CSV table of all heavy atoms in Angstrom, one decimal:
chain,number,residue,atom,x,y,z
O,127,ALA,N,-4.4,-4.8,11.8
O,127,ALA,CA,-4.8,-4.8,13.2
O,127,ALA,C,-6.3,-4.8,13.3
O,127,ALA,O,-6.9,-5.6,14.1
O,127,ALA,CB,-4.2,-3.6,13.9
O,128,LEU,N,-7.0,-4.0,12.5
O,128,LEU,CA,-8.4,-4.0,12.5
O,128,LEU,C,-9.0,-5.4,12.1
O,128,LEU,O,-10.0,-5.9,12.6
O,128,LEU,CB,-9.0,-2.9,11.6
O,128,LEU,CG,-8.8,-1.5,12.2
O,128,LEU,CD1,-9.1,-0.5,11.1
O,128,LEU,CD2,-9.7,-1.3,13.4
O,129,LEU,N,-8.4,-6.0,11.1
O,129,LEU,CA,-8.8,-7.3,10.6
O,129,LEU,C,-8.6,-8.3,11.8
O,129,LEU,O,-9.5,-9.1,12.0
O,129,LEU,CB,-8.0,-7.8,9.4
O,129,LEU,CG,-8.3,-9.2,8.9
O,129,LEU,CD1,-9.8,-9.3,8.6
O,129,LEU,CD2,-7.5,-9.5,7.7
O,130,PHE,N,-7.5,-8.3,12.5
O,130,PHE,CA,-7.3,-9.2,13.6
O,130,PHE,C,-8.4,-9.0,14.7
O,130,PHE,O,-9.0,-10.0,15.1
O,130,PHE,CB,-5.9,-8.9,14.2
O,130,PHE,CG,-5.7,-9.4,15.6
O,130,PHE,CD1,-5.7,-10.8,15.9
O,130,PHE,CD2,-5.7,-8.6,16.7
O,130,PHE,CE1,-5.6,-11.3,17.1
O,130,PHE,CE2,-5.6,-9.0,18.0
O,130,PHE,CZ,-5.5,-10.4,18.2
O,131,LEU,N,-8.6,-7.7,15.0
O,131,LEU,CA,-9.7,-7.5,16.0
O,131,LEU,C,-11.0,-7.9,15.6
O,131,LEU,O,-11.8,-8.5,16.4
O,131,LEU,CB,-9.7,-6.0,16.4
O,131,LEU,CG,-8.4,-5.5,17.2
O,131,LEU,CD1,-8.5,-4.0,17.4
O,131,LEU,CD2,-8.3,-6.2,18.5
O,132,ALA,N,-11.3,-7.7,14.3
O,132,ALA,CA,-12.6,-8.1,13.7
O,132,ALA,C,-12.8,-9.6,13.8
O,132,ALA,O,-13.8,-10.1,14.3
O,132,ALA,CB,-12.7,-7.7,12.3
O,133,LEU,N,-11.8,-10.4,13.4
O,133,LEU,CA,-11.9,-11.8,13.4
O,133,LEU,C,-11.9,-12.4,14.9
O,133,LEU,O,-12.6,-13.3,15.2
O,133,LEU,CB,-10.7,-12.5,12.7
O,133,LEU,CG,-10.7,-12.2,11.2
O,133,LEU,CD1,-9.4,-12.8,10.5
O,133,LEU,CD2,-11.9,-12.9,10.5
O,134,LEU,N,-11.2,-11.7,15.8
O,134,LEU,CA,-11.2,-12.1,17.2
O,134,LEU,C,-12.6,-11.9,17.8
O,134,LEU,O,-13.1,-12.8,18.4
O,134,LEU,CB,-10.2,-11.2,18.0
O,134,LEU,CG,-10.1,-11.5,19.5
O,134,LEU,CD1,-9.5,-12.9,19.7
O,134,LEU,CD2,-9.2,-10.4,20.1
O,135,LEU,N,-13.2,-10.7,17.5
O,135,LEU,CA,-14.6,-10.5,18.0
O,135,LEU,C,-15.6,-11.4,17.4
O,135,LEU,O,-16.5,-11.9,18.1
O,135,LEU,CB,-15.0,-9.0,17.8
O,135,LEU,CG,-14.3,-8.0,18.7
O,135,LEU,CD1,-14.8,-6.6,18.4
O,135,LEU,CD2,-14.6,-8.3,20.2
O,136,LEU,N,-15.4,-11.6,16.1
O,136,LEU,CA,-16.4,-12.5,15.4
O,136,LEU,C,-16.2,-14.0,16.0
O,136,LEU,O,-17.2,-14.6,16.2
O,136,LEU,CB,-16.1,-12.5,13.9
O,136,LEU,CG,-16.6,-11.3,13.2
O,136,LEU,CD1,-16.0,-11.2,11.8
O,136,LEU,CD2,-18.1,-11.2,13.1
O,137,GLY,N,-15.0,-14.4,16.2
O,137,GLY,CA,-14.8,-15.7,16.7
O,137,GLY,C,-15.3,-15.9,18.1
O,137,GLY,O,-16.0,-16.9,18.4
O,138,VAL,N,-15.0,-14.9,19.0
O,138,VAL,CA,-15.5,-15.0,20.4
O,138,VAL,C,-17.0,-14.9,20.4
O,138,VAL,O,-17.7,-15.6,21.1
O,138,VAL,CB,-14.8,-13.9,21.2
O,138,VAL,CG1,-15.5,-13.8,22.6
O,138,VAL,CG2,-13.4,-14.1,21.4
O,139,GLY,N,-17.6,-14.0,19.5
O,139,GLY,CA,-19.0,-13.9,19.4
O,139,GLY,C,-19.7,-15.2,19.0
O,139,GLY,O,-20.8,-15.5,19.5
O,140,GLN,N,-19.0,-16.0,18.1
O,140,GLN,CA,-19.6,-17.3,17.7
O,140,GLN,C,-19.6,-18.2,18.9
O,140,GLN,O,-20.5,-19.0,19.1
O,140,GLN,CB,-18.8,-17.9,16.5
O,140,GLN,CG,-19.0,-17.2,15.2
O,140,GLN,CD,-20.4,-17.4,14.7
O,140,GLN,OE1,-21.0,-18.5,14.9
O,140,GLN,NE2,-21.0,-16.4,14.0
O,141,PHE,N,-18.4,-18.3,19.6
O,141,PHE,CA,-18.3,-19.1,20.8
O,141,PHE,C,-19.4,-18.8,21.8
O,141,PHE,O,-20.0,-19.6,22.4
O,141,PHE,CB,-17.0,-19.0,21.4
O,141,PHE,CG,-16.0,-20.0,20.9
O,141,PHE,CD1,-14.9,-19.6,20.2
O,141,PHE,CD2,-16.1,-21.4,21.2
O,141,PHE,CE1,-14.0,-20.5,19.7
O,141,PHE,CE2,-15.2,-22.3,20.7
O,141,PHE,CZ,-14.1,-21.9,19.9
O,142,ALA,N,-19.6,-17.5,22.1
O,142,ALA,CA,-20.5,-17.0,23.1
O,142,ALA,C,-21.9,-16.9,22.7
O,142,ALA,O,-22.8,-16.7,23.5
O,142,ALA,CB,-20.0,-15.7,23.7
O,143,GLY,N,-22.2,-17.0,21.4
O,143,GLY,CA,-23.5,-16.8,20.9
O,143,GLY,C,-24.0,-15.4,21.1
O,143,GLY,O,-25.1,-15.1,21.3
O,144,SER,N,-23.0,-14.4,21.0
O,144,SER,CA,-23.3,-13.0,21.2
O,144,SER,C,-23.4,-12.2,19.9
O,144,SER,O,-22.4,-12.0,19.2
O,144,SER,CB,-22.2,-12.4,22.1
O,144,SER,OG,-22.3,-11.0,22.1
O,145,GLY,N,-24.6,-11.8,19.6
O,145,GLY,CA,-24.9,-11.0,18.4
O,145,GLY,C,-24.2,-9.7,18.5
O,145,GLY,O,-23.8,-9.1,17.5
O,146,SER,N,-24.1,-9.1,19.7
O,146,SER,CA,-23.4,-7.8,19.9
O,146,SER,C,-21.9,-7.9,19.5
O,146,SER,O,-21.4,-7.0,18.8
O,146,SER,CB,-23.5,-7.3,21.3
O,146,SER,OG,-24.9,-7.2,21.6
O,147,LEU,N,-21.2,-9.0,19.9
O,147,LEU,CA,-19.8,-9.1,19.6
O,147,LEU,C,-19.7,-9.3,18.1
O,147,LEU,O,-18.7,-8.8,17.4
O,147,LEU,CB,-19.2,-10.3,20.3
O,147,LEU,CG,-18.9,-10.0,21.8
O,147,LEU,CD1,-18.4,-11.3,22.5
O,147,LEU,CD2,-17.9,-8.9,22.0
O,148,VAL,N,-20.6,-10.1,17.5
O,148,VAL,CA,-20.5,-10.4,16.0
O,148,VAL,C,-20.7,-9.1,15.3
O,148,VAL,O,-20.0,-8.8,14.3
O,148,VAL,CB,-21.5,-11.4,15.6
O,148,VAL,CG1,-21.7,-11.5,14.1
O,148,VAL,CG2,-21.1,-12.8,16.2
O,149,LYS,N,-21.7,-8.3,15.7
O,149,LYS,CA,-21.9,-7.0,15.1
O,149,LYS,C,-20.7,-6.0,15.2
O,149,LYS,O,-20.3,-5.4,14.2
O,149,LYS,CB,-23.2,-6.3,15.7
O,149,LYS,CG,-23.6,-5.1,15.0
O,149,LYS,CD,-24.9,-4.5,15.6
O,149,LYS,CE,-26.1,-5.2,15.0
O,149,LYS,NZ,-27.3,-4.5,15.2
O,150,ALA,N,-20.1,-6.0,16.4
O,150,ALA,CA,-18.9,-5.2,16.6
O,150,ALA,C,-17.8,-5.7,15.7
O,150,ALA,O,-17.1,-4.8,15.1
O,150,ALA,CB,-18.5,-5.2,18.0
O,151,GLY,N,-17.6,-7.0,15.6
O,151,GLY,CA,-16.6,-7.5,14.7
O,151,GLY,C,-16.9,-7.2,13.2
O,151,GLY,O,-16.0,-6.9,12.4
O,152,GLY,N,-18.2,-7.1,12.9
O,152,GLY,CA,-18.5,-6.7,11.5
O,152,GLY,C,-18.2,-5.3,11.2
O,152,GLY,O,-17.6,-5.0,10.1
O,153,TRP,N,-18.4,-4.4,12.2
O,153,TRP,CA,-18.0,-3.0,12.0
O,153,TRP,C,-16.5,-2.9,11.9
O,153,TRP,O,-16.0,-2.1,11.0
O,153,TRP,CB,-18.5,-2.1,13.2
O,153,TRP,CG,-19.9,-1.8,13.1
O,153,TRP,CD1,-20.9,-2.2,13.9
O,153,TRP,CD2,-20.5,-0.9,12.1
O,153,TRP,NE1,-22.1,-1.7,13.4
O,153,TRP,CE2,-21.9,-0.9,12.4
O,153,TRP,CE3,-20.0,-0.2,11.1
O,153,TRP,CZ2,-22.8,-0.1,11.6
O,153,TRP,CZ3,-20.9,0.6,10.3
O,153,TRP,CH2,-22.2,0.6,10.6
O,154,LEU,N,-15.7,-3.6,12.6
O,154,LEU,CA,-14.3,-3.5,12.5
O,154,LEU,C,-13.8,-4.1,11.2
O,154,LEU,O,-12.9,-3.6,10.6
O,154,LEU,CB,-13.6,-4.3,13.7
O,154,LEU,CG,-13.7,-3.6,15.0
O,154,LEU,CD1,-13.1,-4.5,16.1
O,154,LEU,CD2,-12.9,-2.3,15.0
O,155,ALA,N,-14.4,-5.1,10.7
O,155,ALA,CA,-14.1,-5.7,9.4
O,155,ALA,C,-14.4,-4.7,8.3
O,155,ALA,O,-13.6,-4.5,7.3
O,155,ALA,CB,-14.9,-7.0,9.1
O,156,ALA,N,-15.5,-4.0,8.4
O,156,ALA,CA,-15.9,-2.9,7.4
O,156,ALA,C,-14.9,-1.8,7.4
O,156,ALA,O,-14.4,-1.3,6.4
O,156,ALA,CB,-17.3,-2.4,7.7
O,157,VAL,N,-14.4,-1.4,8.6
O,157,VAL,CA,-13.4,-0.3,8.7
O,157,VAL,C,-12.1,-0.8,8.1
O,157,VAL,O,-11.4,0.0,7.4
O,157,VAL,CB,-13.3,0.2,10.1
O,157,VAL,CG1,-12.2,1.2,10.3
O,157,VAL,CG2,-14.6,0.9,10.6
O,158,SER,N,-11.7,-2.0,8.4
O,158,SER,CA,-10.5,-2.6,7.8
O,158,SER,C,-10.6,-2.6,6.3
O,158,SER,O,-9.6,-2.3,5.6
O,158,SER,CB,-10.3,-4.0,8.4
O,158,SER,OG,-9.1,-4.6,7.8
O,159,GLY,N,-11.8,-2.9,5.8
O,159,GLY,CA,-12.0,-2.9,4.3
O,159,GLY,C,-11.9,-1.5,3.8
O,159,GLY,O,-11.3,-1.3,2.7
O,160,LEU,N,-12.4,-0.5,4.5
O,160,LEU,CA,-12.2,0.9,4.0
O,160,LEU,C,-10.7,1.3,4.0
O,160,LEU,O,-10.3,2.0,3.1
O,160,LEU,CB,-13.0,1.8,4.9
O,160,LEU,CG,-14.5,1.9,4.7
O,160,LEU,CD1,-15.2,2.7,5.8
O,160,LEU,CD2,-14.8,2.4,3.3
O,161,ALA,N,-10.0,0.8,5.0
O,161,ALA,CA,-8.5,1.1,5.0
O,161,ALA,C,-7.8,0.5,3.8
O,161,ALA,O,-7.0,1.1,3.2
O,161,ALA,CB,-7.9,0.7,6.3
O,162,ALA,N,-8.2,-0.8,3.5
O,162,ALA,CA,-7.6,-1.4,2.3
O,162,ALA,C,-8.0,-0.7,1.1
O,162,ALA,O,-7.1,-0.5,0.2
O,162,ALA,CB,-8.0,-2.9,2.3
O,163,TRP,N,-9.2,-0.4,1.0
O,163,TRP,CA,-9.7,0.3,-0.2
O,163,TRP,C,-9.0,1.7,-0.4
O,163,TRP,O,-8.6,2.0,-1.5
O,163,TRP,CB,-11.2,0.5,-0.1
O,163,TRP,CG,-11.8,1.4,-1.2
O,163,TRP,CD1,-12.0,1.0,-2.5
O,163,TRP,CD2,-12.0,2.8,-1.1
O,163,TRP,NE1,-12.5,2.2,-3.2
O,163,TRP,CE2,-12.4,3.2,-2.4
O,163,TRP,CE3,-11.9,3.7,-0.1
O,163,TRP,CZ2,-12.8,4.6,-2.6
O,163,TRP,CZ3,-12.2,5.0,-0.3
O,163,TRP,CH2,-12.7,5.4,-1.5
O,164,TYR,N,-8.9,2.4,0.7
O,164,TYR,CA,-8.3,3.7,0.6
O,164,TYR,C,-6.8,3.6,0.2
O,164,TYR,O,-6.3,4.3,-0.6
O,164,TYR,CB,-8.3,4.5,2.0
O,164,TYR,CG,-7.5,5.8,1.9
O,164,TYR,CD1,-8.1,6.9,1.3
O,164,TYR,CD2,-6.2,5.9,2.3
O,164,TYR,CE1,-7.3,8.1,1.1
O,164,TYR,CE2,-5.5,7.0,2.1
O,164,TYR,CZ,-6.0,8.1,1.6
O,164,TYR,OH,-5.3,9.3,1.4
O,165,GLY,N,-6.1,2.6,0.8
O,165,GLY,CA,-4.7,2.4,0.4
O,165,GLY,C,-4.5,2.1,-1.1
O,165,GLY,O,-3.6,2.7,-1.7
O,166,ALA,N,-5.4,1.3,-1.6
O,166,ALA,CA,-5.3,1.0,-3.0
O,166,ALA,C,-5.7,2.2,-3.9
O,166,ALA,O,-5.1,2.5,-4.9
O,166,ALA,CB,-6.2,-0.2,-3.4
O,167,THR,N,-6.8,2.9,-3.5
O,167,THR,CA,-7.2,4.1,-4.2
O,167,THR,C,-6.1,5.1,-4.2
O,167,THR,O,-5.8,5.8,-5.2
O,167,THR,CB,-8.5,4.6,-3.7
O,167,THR,OG1,-9.5,3.5,-3.8
O,167,THR,CG2,-9.0,5.8,-4.5
O,168,ALA,N,-5.5,5.3,-3.0
O,168,ALA,CA,-4.4,6.3,-2.9
O,168,ALA,C,-3.2,6.0,-3.8
O,168,ALA,O,-2.6,6.9,-4.4
O,168,ALA,CB,-4.0,6.3,-1.4
O,169,ALA,N,-2.9,4.7,-3.9
O,169,ALA,CA,-1.8,4.3,-4.8
O,169,ALA,C,-2.2,4.6,-6.3
O,169,ALA,O,-1.3,5.1,-7.0
O,169,ALA,CB,-1.5,2.8,-4.7
O,170,LEU,N,-3.4,4.4,-6.6
O,170,LEU,CA,-3.9,4.7,-8.0
O,170,LEU,C,-3.9,6.2,-8.3
O,170,LEU,O,-3.5,6.7,-9.4
O,170,LEU,CB,-5.2,4.1,-8.3
O,170,LEU,CG,-5.3,2.6,-8.4
O,170,LEU,CD1,-6.8,2.1,-8.5
O,170,LEU,CD2,-4.6,2.1,-9.7
O,171,ALA,N,-4.4,7.0,-7.3
O,171,ALA,CA,-4.5,8.4,-7.5
O,171,ALA,C,-3.4,9.2,-7.0
O,171,ALA,O,-3.4,10.5,-7.0
O,171,ALA,CB,-5.8,8.8,-6.7
O,172,ASN,N,-2.3,8.6,-6.5
O,172,ASN,CA,-1.1,9.2,-6.0
O,172,ASN,C,-1.5,10.1,-4.8
O,172,ASN,O,-1.0,11.2,-4.7
O,172,ASN,CB,-0.4,10.0,-7.0
O,172,ASN,CG,0.3,9.1,-8.0
O,172,ASN,OD1,0.8,8.1,-7.7
O,172,ASN,ND2,0.1,9.4,-9.3
O,173,TRP,N,-2.4,9.6,-3.9
O,173,TRP,CA,-2.8,10.3,-2.7
O,173,TRP,C,-1.8,9.9,-1.6
O,173,TRP,O,-1.2,8.8,-1.7
O,173,TRP,CB,-4.2,10.0,-2.3
O,173,TRP,CG,-5.3,10.4,-3.1
O,173,TRP,CD1,-5.2,11.4,-4.2
O,173,TRP,CD2,-6.6,10.0,-3.1
O,173,TRP,NE1,-6.4,11.5,-4.7
O,173,TRP,CE2,-7.3,10.7,-4.1
O,173,TRP,CE3,-7.3,9.0,-2.3
O,173,TRP,CZ2,-8.7,10.4,-4.4
O,173,TRP,CZ3,-8.6,8.8,-2.6
O,173,TRP,CH2,-9.3,9.5,-3.6
Side-chain angles (χ1 to χ4, degrees):
L128 287 168
L129 176 58
F130 162 69
L131 291 173
L133 292 173
L134 181 66
L135 286 178
L136 288 165
V138 171
Q140 287 291 328
F141 269 111
S144 171
S146 298
L147 285 176
V148 169
K149 187 178 276 194
W153 280 110
L154 287 173
V157 173
S158 178
L160 283 174
W163 170 82
Y164 175 80
T167 303
L170 288 172
N172 292 317
W173 294 345

